[in-house]
Structures are given as C-alpha cells and as structure tokens.
Short mmCIF file of all heavy atoms in Angstrom, two decimals:
data_model
loop_
_atom_site.label_atom_id
_atom_site.label_comp_id
_atom_site.label_asym_id
_atom_site.label_seq_id
_atom_site.Cartn_x
_atom_site.Cartn_y
_atom_site.Cartn_z
N MET A 1 112.44 86.10 107.09
CA MET A 1 113.86 86.11 106.94
C MET A 1 114.33 86.79 105.73
O MET A 1 115.53 86.65 105.33
CB MET A 1 114.36 84.71 107.06
CG MET A 1 114.22 84.06 108.33
SD MET A 1 115.00 82.45 108.57
CE MET A 1 114.02 81.47 107.39
N ASP A 2 113.52 87.49 104.96
CA ASP A 2 113.93 88.06 103.71
C ASP A 2 113.46 89.51 103.56
O ASP A 2 112.94 89.91 102.52
CB ASP A 2 113.33 87.14 102.56
CG ASP A 2 113.97 87.47 101.25
OD1 ASP A 2 115.24 87.88 101.26
OD2 ASP A 2 113.35 87.34 100.23
N LEU A 3 113.62 90.25 104.59
CA LEU A 3 113.30 91.66 104.52
C LEU A 3 114.48 92.42 103.81
O LEU A 3 115.67 91.97 103.88
CB LEU A 3 113.08 92.29 105.89
CG LEU A 3 111.79 91.80 106.60
CD1 LEU A 3 111.73 92.17 108.10
CD2 LEU A 3 110.54 92.22 105.86
N PRO A 4 114.28 93.57 103.21
CA PRO A 4 115.27 94.36 102.55
C PRO A 4 116.47 94.72 103.44
O PRO A 4 116.29 94.88 104.63
CB PRO A 4 114.55 95.50 102.01
CG PRO A 4 113.16 95.22 101.99
CD PRO A 4 113.00 94.28 103.21
N LYS A 5 117.69 94.75 102.83
CA LYS A 5 118.87 95.10 103.57
C LYS A 5 118.74 96.51 104.16
O LYS A 5 119.33 96.77 105.18
CB LYS A 5 120.07 95.04 102.69
CG LYS A 5 120.43 93.62 102.20
CD LYS A 5 121.72 93.60 101.30
CE LYS A 5 122.06 92.23 100.91
NZ LYS A 5 122.37 91.31 101.99
N ASP A 6 118.00 97.31 103.56
CA ASP A 6 117.88 98.75 104.01
C ASP A 6 116.60 98.93 104.81
O ASP A 6 116.06 100.02 104.90
CB ASP A 6 117.92 99.77 102.90
CG ASP A 6 116.81 99.63 101.90
OD1 ASP A 6 116.12 98.53 101.91
OD2 ASP A 6 116.73 100.48 101.06
N PHE A 7 115.98 97.83 105.43
CA PHE A 7 114.71 97.84 106.02
C PHE A 7 114.57 98.96 107.05
O PHE A 7 113.65 99.75 107.13
CB PHE A 7 114.32 96.49 106.59
CG PHE A 7 113.04 96.48 107.41
CD1 PHE A 7 111.77 96.28 106.68
CD2 PHE A 7 113.03 96.69 108.76
CE1 PHE A 7 110.65 96.36 107.35
CE2 PHE A 7 111.85 96.68 109.46
CZ PHE A 7 110.67 96.59 108.66
N ASP A 8 115.62 98.96 108.00
CA ASP A 8 115.51 99.93 109.05
C ASP A 8 115.79 101.37 108.59
O ASP A 8 115.45 102.32 109.33
CB ASP A 8 116.55 99.56 110.13
CG ASP A 8 117.93 99.53 109.62
OD1 ASP A 8 118.21 99.34 108.40
OD2 ASP A 8 118.96 99.65 110.42
N GLN A 9 116.25 101.56 107.42
CA GLN A 9 116.45 102.96 106.91
C GLN A 9 115.20 103.36 106.07
O GLN A 9 114.75 104.57 106.15
CB GLN A 9 117.67 102.93 105.97
CG GLN A 9 118.94 102.54 106.61
CD GLN A 9 119.35 103.42 107.75
OE1 GLN A 9 119.18 104.70 107.73
NE2 GLN A 9 119.84 102.81 108.83
N LYS A 10 114.44 102.45 105.44
CA LYS A 10 113.40 102.74 104.58
C LYS A 10 112.07 102.76 105.16
O LYS A 10 111.10 103.41 104.73
CB LYS A 10 113.51 101.87 103.37
CG LYS A 10 112.51 102.24 102.19
CD LYS A 10 112.83 101.26 101.02
CE LYS A 10 111.90 101.69 99.83
NZ LYS A 10 112.18 100.80 98.66
N TYR A 11 111.89 101.92 106.24
CA TYR A 11 110.58 101.63 106.78
C TYR A 11 110.51 102.07 108.23
O TYR A 11 111.49 101.96 108.99
CB TYR A 11 110.19 100.12 106.65
CG TYR A 11 110.15 99.71 105.17
CD1 TYR A 11 111.24 99.14 104.62
CD2 TYR A 11 108.98 99.92 104.43
CE1 TYR A 11 111.17 98.68 103.20
CE2 TYR A 11 108.91 99.57 103.07
CZ TYR A 11 110.07 98.93 102.51
OH TYR A 11 109.91 98.55 101.18
N SER A 12 109.32 102.39 108.66
CA SER A 12 109.12 103.05 110.02
C SER A 12 109.33 101.95 111.08
O SER A 12 109.94 102.22 112.10
CB SER A 12 107.63 103.62 110.09
OG SER A 12 107.27 103.80 111.46
N SER A 13 108.78 100.78 110.93
CA SER A 13 108.80 99.78 112.05
C SER A 13 108.44 98.48 111.56
O SER A 13 107.78 98.23 110.58
CB SER A 13 107.70 100.17 113.11
OG SER A 13 107.68 99.31 114.13
N ILE A 14 109.07 97.41 112.16
CA ILE A 14 108.73 96.04 111.78
C ILE A 14 107.39 95.60 112.38
O ILE A 14 106.67 94.60 111.98
CB ILE A 14 109.82 95.07 112.29
CG1 ILE A 14 109.70 93.75 111.52
CG2 ILE A 14 109.82 94.86 113.75
CD1 ILE A 14 110.86 92.77 111.68
N TRP A 15 106.96 96.29 113.41
CA TRP A 15 105.61 96.03 114.12
C TRP A 15 104.58 97.07 113.80
O TRP A 15 104.92 98.23 113.74
CB TRP A 15 105.98 96.05 115.60
CG TRP A 15 105.34 94.90 116.38
CD1 TRP A 15 104.20 94.21 116.13
CD2 TRP A 15 105.94 94.29 117.51
NE1 TRP A 15 104.02 93.29 117.12
CE2 TRP A 15 105.10 93.26 118.03
CE3 TRP A 15 107.14 94.51 118.27
CZ2 TRP A 15 105.27 92.47 119.06
CZ3 TRP A 15 107.44 93.67 119.39
CH2 TRP A 15 106.49 92.69 119.81
N VAL A 16 103.39 96.71 113.64
CA VAL A 16 102.20 97.46 113.48
C VAL A 16 102.01 97.94 112.09
O VAL A 16 100.90 97.66 111.44
CB VAL A 16 102.14 98.60 114.45
CG1 VAL A 16 100.73 99.40 114.35
CG2 VAL A 16 102.30 98.18 115.90
N ASP A 17 102.94 98.76 111.56
CA ASP A 17 102.74 99.29 110.17
C ASP A 17 103.66 98.74 109.11
O ASP A 17 103.81 99.41 108.05
CB ASP A 17 102.75 100.82 110.29
CG ASP A 17 104.12 101.33 110.64
OD1 ASP A 17 105.02 100.55 110.85
OD2 ASP A 17 104.32 102.56 110.52
N ILE A 18 104.16 97.53 109.27
CA ILE A 18 105.01 97.00 108.24
C ILE A 18 104.20 96.63 107.03
O ILE A 18 103.10 96.02 107.11
CB ILE A 18 105.70 95.74 108.77
CG1 ILE A 18 106.71 95.04 107.77
CG2 ILE A 18 104.71 94.70 109.37
CD1 ILE A 18 107.49 93.98 108.22
N PRO A 19 104.64 97.07 105.85
CA PRO A 19 103.80 96.91 104.63
C PRO A 19 103.61 95.35 104.32
O PRO A 19 104.60 94.59 104.35
CB PRO A 19 104.66 97.57 103.55
CG PRO A 19 105.54 98.50 104.29
CD PRO A 19 105.83 97.88 105.59
N LYS A 20 102.42 95.04 103.92
CA LYS A 20 102.14 93.57 103.66
C LYS A 20 102.76 93.24 102.24
O LYS A 20 102.98 92.05 101.95
CB LYS A 20 100.62 93.41 103.54
CG LYS A 20 99.92 93.24 104.89
CD LYS A 20 98.58 92.73 104.78
CE LYS A 20 97.59 93.63 104.08
NZ LYS A 20 96.19 93.15 104.11
N SER A 21 103.12 94.30 101.45
CA SER A 21 103.77 94.03 100.20
C SER A 21 105.16 93.32 100.35
O SER A 21 105.59 92.64 99.47
CB SER A 21 103.94 95.30 99.42
OG SER A 21 104.77 96.16 100.15
N LEU A 22 105.71 93.43 101.58
CA LEU A 22 107.03 92.77 101.81
C LEU A 22 106.93 91.33 102.07
O LEU A 22 107.95 90.54 102.02
CB LEU A 22 107.68 93.44 103.02
CG LEU A 22 108.01 95.02 102.86
CD1 LEU A 22 108.69 95.43 104.19
CD2 LEU A 22 108.96 95.19 101.65
N TYR A 23 105.74 90.79 102.28
CA TYR A 23 105.51 89.36 102.60
C TYR A 23 105.29 88.56 101.37
O TYR A 23 104.35 88.85 100.63
CB TYR A 23 104.41 89.21 103.60
CG TYR A 23 104.23 87.76 104.03
CD1 TYR A 23 104.99 87.22 105.02
CD2 TYR A 23 103.34 86.93 103.40
CE1 TYR A 23 104.88 85.89 105.43
CE2 TYR A 23 103.12 85.59 103.80
CZ TYR A 23 103.89 85.08 104.81
OH TYR A 23 103.84 83.77 105.19
N ASP A 24 106.08 87.55 101.10
CA ASP A 24 105.88 86.67 99.92
C ASP A 24 105.32 85.35 100.56
O ASP A 24 106.09 84.63 101.28
CB ASP A 24 107.19 86.38 99.30
CG ASP A 24 107.09 85.47 98.05
OD1 ASP A 24 106.16 84.71 97.98
OD2 ASP A 24 108.00 85.58 97.18
N PRO A 25 104.08 84.94 100.26
CA PRO A 25 103.51 83.75 100.86
C PRO A 25 104.26 82.48 100.42
O PRO A 25 104.30 81.53 101.21
CB PRO A 25 102.05 83.72 100.26
CG PRO A 25 101.76 85.13 99.99
CD PRO A 25 103.06 85.73 99.56
N GLU A 26 104.84 82.42 99.27
CA GLU A 26 105.58 81.21 98.90
C GLU A 26 106.82 81.05 99.72
O GLU A 26 107.16 80.01 100.21
CB GLU A 26 106.04 81.25 97.41
CG GLU A 26 104.79 81.18 96.46
CD GLU A 26 105.21 81.05 95.02
OE1 GLU A 26 106.45 81.03 94.73
OE2 GLU A 26 104.30 80.96 94.11
N LYS A 27 107.54 82.19 100.06
CA LYS A 27 108.67 82.14 101.00
C LYS A 27 108.21 81.76 102.31
O LYS A 27 108.84 81.18 103.10
CB LYS A 27 109.44 83.46 100.94
CG LYS A 27 110.12 83.70 99.59
CD LYS A 27 110.86 85.03 99.65
CE LYS A 27 111.65 85.30 98.30
NZ LYS A 27 112.29 86.62 98.28
N GLY A 28 107.03 82.37 102.63
CA GLY A 28 106.46 82.10 104.07
C GLY A 28 106.22 80.61 104.20
O GLY A 28 106.34 80.06 105.29
N HIS A 29 105.67 80.00 103.18
CA HIS A 29 105.39 78.56 103.25
C HIS A 29 106.68 77.75 103.56
O HIS A 29 106.68 76.91 104.46
CB HIS A 29 104.86 78.11 101.88
CG HIS A 29 104.79 76.62 101.72
ND1 HIS A 29 103.74 75.82 102.27
CD2 HIS A 29 105.61 75.78 101.07
CE1 HIS A 29 104.02 74.54 101.94
NE2 HIS A 29 105.05 74.47 101.18
N ARG A 30 107.68 78.13 102.90
CA ARG A 30 109.04 77.47 103.15
C ARG A 30 109.52 77.68 104.55
O ARG A 30 109.94 76.78 105.28
CB ARG A 30 110.03 77.86 102.17
CG ARG A 30 111.47 77.34 102.40
CD ARG A 30 112.47 77.82 101.41
NE ARG A 30 112.55 79.25 101.19
CZ ARG A 30 113.19 80.06 102.12
NH1 ARG A 30 113.82 79.59 103.13
NH2 ARG A 30 113.12 81.35 101.95
N MET A 31 109.42 78.98 105.04
CA MET A 31 109.91 79.32 106.31
C MET A 31 109.17 78.57 107.44
O MET A 31 109.74 78.09 108.37
CB MET A 31 109.84 80.88 106.50
CG MET A 31 110.74 81.65 105.65
SD MET A 31 110.47 83.44 105.85
CE MET A 31 111.37 84.04 104.40
N TYR A 32 107.80 78.62 107.34
CA TYR A 32 107.06 77.92 108.34
C TYR A 32 107.43 76.48 108.47
O TYR A 32 107.65 75.99 109.67
CB TYR A 32 105.50 77.96 108.06
CG TYR A 32 104.77 79.16 108.47
CD1 TYR A 32 103.84 79.85 107.64
CD2 TYR A 32 104.89 79.70 109.76
CE1 TYR A 32 103.18 80.92 107.98
CE2 TYR A 32 104.21 80.81 110.26
CZ TYR A 32 103.36 81.45 109.33
OH TYR A 32 102.60 82.54 109.67
N ASN A 33 107.59 75.82 107.35
CA ASN A 33 107.94 74.37 107.48
C ASN A 33 109.35 74.13 107.94
O ASN A 33 109.61 73.13 108.63
CB ASN A 33 107.77 73.73 106.11
CG ASN A 33 106.24 73.42 105.89
OD1 ASN A 33 105.66 72.49 106.37
ND2 ASN A 33 105.56 74.34 105.11
N GLU A 34 110.26 75.08 107.66
CA GLU A 34 111.60 74.93 108.19
C GLU A 34 111.62 75.19 109.71
O GLU A 34 112.35 74.44 110.42
CB GLU A 34 112.54 75.92 107.41
CG GLU A 34 112.90 75.53 106.03
CD GLU A 34 113.87 76.43 105.44
OE1 GLU A 34 114.34 77.43 106.05
OE2 GLU A 34 114.27 76.21 104.23
N PHE A 35 110.88 76.11 110.16
CA PHE A 35 110.76 76.36 111.60
C PHE A 35 110.25 75.12 112.27
O PHE A 35 110.75 74.71 113.38
CB PHE A 35 109.94 77.59 111.90
CG PHE A 35 110.50 78.92 111.54
CD1 PHE A 35 109.79 79.84 110.83
CD2 PHE A 35 111.82 79.20 111.85
CE1 PHE A 35 110.34 81.05 110.49
CE2 PHE A 35 112.42 80.44 111.55
CZ PHE A 35 111.69 81.36 110.83
N LEU A 36 109.22 74.55 111.74
CA LEU A 36 108.61 73.28 112.39
C LEU A 36 109.69 72.19 112.37
O LEU A 36 109.74 71.38 113.36
CB LEU A 36 107.34 72.92 111.63
CG LEU A 36 106.22 73.88 111.89
CD1 LEU A 36 105.06 73.50 110.84
CD2 LEU A 36 105.68 73.70 113.31
N ASP A 37 110.44 72.01 111.27
CA ASP A 37 111.52 71.03 111.24
C ASP A 37 112.50 71.30 112.35
O ASP A 37 113.01 70.34 113.01
CB ASP A 37 112.22 71.08 109.91
CG ASP A 37 111.37 70.54 108.72
OD1 ASP A 37 110.38 69.84 109.06
OD2 ASP A 37 111.75 70.89 107.55
N GLU A 38 112.85 72.63 112.64
CA GLU A 38 113.78 72.90 113.65
C GLU A 38 113.29 72.46 115.02
O GLU A 38 114.03 71.93 115.87
CB GLU A 38 114.19 74.38 113.58
CG GLU A 38 115.01 74.69 112.32
CD GLU A 38 114.85 76.17 111.92
OE1 GLU A 38 114.41 76.98 112.70
OE2 GLU A 38 115.38 76.48 110.80
N PHE A 39 112.01 72.80 115.28
CA PHE A 39 111.36 72.41 116.57
C PHE A 39 111.43 70.88 116.78
O PHE A 39 111.65 70.44 117.80
CB PHE A 39 109.95 73.02 116.68
CG PHE A 39 109.89 74.39 117.16
CD1 PHE A 39 109.35 75.36 116.41
CD2 PHE A 39 110.36 74.69 118.42
CE1 PHE A 39 109.25 76.67 116.81
CE2 PHE A 39 110.28 76.00 118.87
CZ PHE A 39 109.77 76.98 118.13
N GLU A 40 111.09 70.21 115.64
CA GLU A 40 111.09 68.74 115.77
C GLU A 40 112.45 68.16 116.05
O GLU A 40 112.59 67.17 116.74
CB GLU A 40 110.46 68.13 114.53
CG GLU A 40 108.92 68.45 114.33
CD GLU A 40 108.37 67.70 113.19
OE1 GLU A 40 109.03 67.17 112.35
OE2 GLU A 40 107.07 67.73 113.09
N LEU A 41 113.48 68.79 115.47
CA LEU A 41 114.78 68.36 115.78
C LEU A 41 115.21 68.60 117.26
O LEU A 41 115.78 67.78 117.89
CB LEU A 41 115.87 69.09 114.91
CG LEU A 41 117.31 68.76 115.14
CD1 LEU A 41 117.58 67.22 114.93
CD2 LEU A 41 118.26 69.57 114.31
N MET A 42 114.68 69.73 117.79
CA MET A 42 114.96 69.94 119.26
C MET A 42 114.30 68.86 120.15
O MET A 42 114.91 68.51 121.10
CB MET A 42 114.32 71.37 119.67
CG MET A 42 114.94 72.55 119.04
SD MET A 42 114.13 74.05 119.49
CE MET A 42 114.71 75.18 118.20
N VAL A 43 113.13 68.34 119.78
CA VAL A 43 112.53 67.27 120.45
C VAL A 43 113.44 66.01 120.30
O VAL A 43 113.63 65.37 121.37
CB VAL A 43 111.04 67.03 119.88
CG1 VAL A 43 110.51 65.81 120.68
CG2 VAL A 43 110.20 68.30 120.11
N ASP A 44 113.79 65.68 119.09
CA ASP A 44 114.59 64.52 118.85
C ASP A 44 115.96 64.63 119.73
O ASP A 44 116.52 63.63 120.06
CB ASP A 44 114.97 64.38 117.39
CG ASP A 44 113.70 63.99 116.57
OD1 ASP A 44 112.77 63.46 117.11
OD2 ASP A 44 113.69 64.28 115.35
N MET A 45 116.50 65.82 119.81
CA MET A 45 117.81 66.01 120.46
C MET A 45 117.70 66.11 122.00
O MET A 45 118.60 66.34 122.73
CB MET A 45 118.49 67.17 119.92
CG MET A 45 118.84 67.14 118.52
SD MET A 45 119.87 65.68 117.97
CE MET A 45 121.32 66.13 118.86
#
C-alpha cells in the first residue's frame, strides 16, 4: 500500500519485474497483520 505516486509513470509493471527496492519489510509486517485483522473482523461480522 505504499508504492510511489508516480509508480505507473516510472516503472514498467507491478507484476514480474517490480523492483524489490520498493518493498519495506517493516511496512510489510504492519500490512500483513492489518490484513489478518480485517479478515478476522469479517468472521466476527
């Protein structure tokens, strides 16, 4: 959820050749856990 605002202008594709340098594992840690929280809320609801 934190790709550059000009991603579609600057980079070829989000799939296959997306640069690994754009991925921040600390942000990824937060995102994974938030996604799981959202799924658990769906179960509760």
Side-chain angles (χ1 to χ4, degrees):
M1 297 186 291
D2 195 30
L3 293 173
K5 291 183 182 297
D6 61 349
F7 177 82
D8 57 337
Q9 303 298 319
K10 189 174 180 180
Y11 298 96
S12 166
S13 178
I14 197 170
W15 225 325
V16 182
D17 65 353
I18 182 173
K20 283 195 290 184
S21 60
L22 296 178
Y23 183 82
D24 182 336
E26 291 188 4
K27 292 179 181 178
H29 169 78
R30 173 180 56 79
M31 291 176 195
Y32 273 137
N33 283 281
E34 288 185 0
F35 288 133
L36 289 168
D37 288 343
E38 292 159 9
F39 274 120
E40 290 185 351
L41 179 61
M42 294 177 198
V43 177
D44 291 337
M45 298 301 296

